[in-house]
Amino acid sequence: MPEQHRPLTDRTMVISGASRGIGLAIAVATARRGANVVLLAKTAEPHPRLPGTVYTAAAEIEAAGGKAAAVVGDVRREEDVQRVVGTALERFGGIDICVNNASAIATEPTERLSPKKFDLMMDINIRGAFLLTQSCVPHLRNSANPHVLTIAPPVNMNPRWLGAHPVYTLSKYGMTLLSQGWAVEYAKAAIAFNCLWPETFIATSAVANLDDGTNQLAAARSPEIMADAAVEIVSQPAREITGNCFIDAEALARFGGVEDLSRYGGGAHPTPDLFLD
């Protein structure tokens, strides 16, 4: 790939939960553009119902032309997060991009939601994003173009979303609020903090395992739309773009001039994602 199409050459990205799905697509897309990728995920062994491990993800990244380091760990554990940051420093000398991708979802009604699932969503979604960002920030200060990208939705106070699954909504909005708060806190450091959310359902294993998975997949776009949008965002000058919550299609149109989304699939009327009216 010509150098002008590899804007992330020699930049190092740390990403959580990238064994499969959107996280893996982001990792591979950045690798194609020259990035080094350090992955943190729990998947040392294949899941019975879900493909991919942190090691197969690293192999895909290297096949795409990047360099990869796989770290088996839990984003909820401070020592594991410190280990992935240490790996990035040891292998590649710094950190330029942090992606908070790891997330847990449970949408049971309040009376049926177990405290265990409540804790899981709060710990992975909010605590995990906090720990990874906190650990990366001191090193992002040394980057020429530092970005933190969090996979989280715009805060939409429509009662539809507040009432549909209050705890999951709380956990995802918490990620967004952290990102927007950090954008202000670190404005003088010129570290960009932005969120990214899909306009439609994304064709992942999680969607395939839904009760109506086959039909849902037919009306879902591929993870590559999120990956391409993420690449566009983290390629922008950090000083000029912070505190935003981007929708993938809008980001592609704004930064990449992409209007035709047909190559990402989903048919003529893909299913809108959660939190979008």
Side-chain angles (χ1 to χ4, degrees):
M1 184 179 290
E3 190 63 30
Q4 64 266 31
H5 298 302
R6 290 173 63 87
L8 304 181
T9 297
D10 295 329
R11 293 180 66 193
T12 297
M13 180 178 76
V14 172
I15 181 170
S16 61
S19 297
R20 60 181 73 92
I22 291 171
L24 176 58
I26 292 173
V28 170
T30 56
R32 288 197 184 105
R33 291 156 179 84
N36 311 312
V37 183
V38 185
L39 308 113
L40 174 65
K42 293 172 60 180
T43 50
E45 301 293 336
H47 187 282
R49 297 178 61 191
L50 300 172
T53 68
V54 69
Y55 301 115
T56 60
E60 286 192 47
I61 290 163
E62 293 187 341
K67 297 177 182 178
V71 177
V72 177
D74 189 331
V75 74
R76 296 171 291 179
R77 291 170 54 87
E78 186 176 1
E79 54 269 38
D80 290 352
V81 170
Q82 292 290 347
R83 193 155 46 85
V84 76
V85 168
T87 299
L89 300 178
E90 181 181 350
R91 287 283 302 275
F92 304 116
I95 297 172
D96 302 285
I97 305 164
C98 168
V99 179
N100 293 304
N101 171 72
S103 189
I105 179 171
T107 58
E108 292 94 322
T110 297
E111 291 176 82
R112 298 213 314 264
L113 185 75
S114 69
K116 182 178 180 180
K117 288 185 177 180
F118 178 99
D119 289 343
L120 183 70
M121 286 189 284
M122 297 302 163
D123 284 352
I124 293 178
N125 300 359
I126 298 179
R127 176 184 169 88
F130 169 78
L131 286 177
L132 189 61
T133 302
Q134 181 189 53
S135 297
C136 287
V137 160
H139 311 289
L140 289 167
R141 290 180 183 274
N142 299 321
S143 171
N145 193 31
H147 281 264
V148 177
L149 185 64
T150 299
I151 308 304
V155 174
N156 183 352
M157 299 307 288
N158 185 331
R160 173 187 179 187
W161 303 116
L162 294 175
H165 28 63
V167 177
Y168 176 62
T169 299
L170 173 64
S171 70
K172 295 304 291 186
Y173 286 5
M175 295 173 74
T176 305
L177 291 173
L178 278 175
S179 180
Q180 293 181 337
W182 286 325
V184 177
E185 183 179 9
Y186 292 101
K188 290 183 179 179
I191 301 173
F193 288 86
N194 295 288
C195 293
L196 175 64
W197 194 248
E199 181 180 56
T200 69
F201 272 22
I202 299 296
T204 63
S205 299
V207 171
N209 286 328
L210 295 174
D211 291 339
D212 193 27
T214 300
N215 290 331
Q216 294 288 6
L217 285 176
R221 290 177 178 152
S222 71
E224 282 67 34
I225 188 170
M226 285 287 283
D228 290 347
V231 167
E232 292 292 347
I233 293 166
V234 301
S235 298
Q236 303 304 311
R239 290 183 177 275
E240 300 176 10
I241 176 174
T242 191
N244 302 285
C245 195
F246 294 108
I247 304 303
D248 55 4
E250 295 171 358
L252 285 173
R254 175 176 170 181
F255 301 119
V258 178
E259 300 288 349
D260 182 3
L261 304 177
S262 59
R263 71 185 186 91
Y264 298 112
H269 302 288
T271 304
D273 209 336
L274 306 179
F275 308 115
L276 304 180
D277 295 338

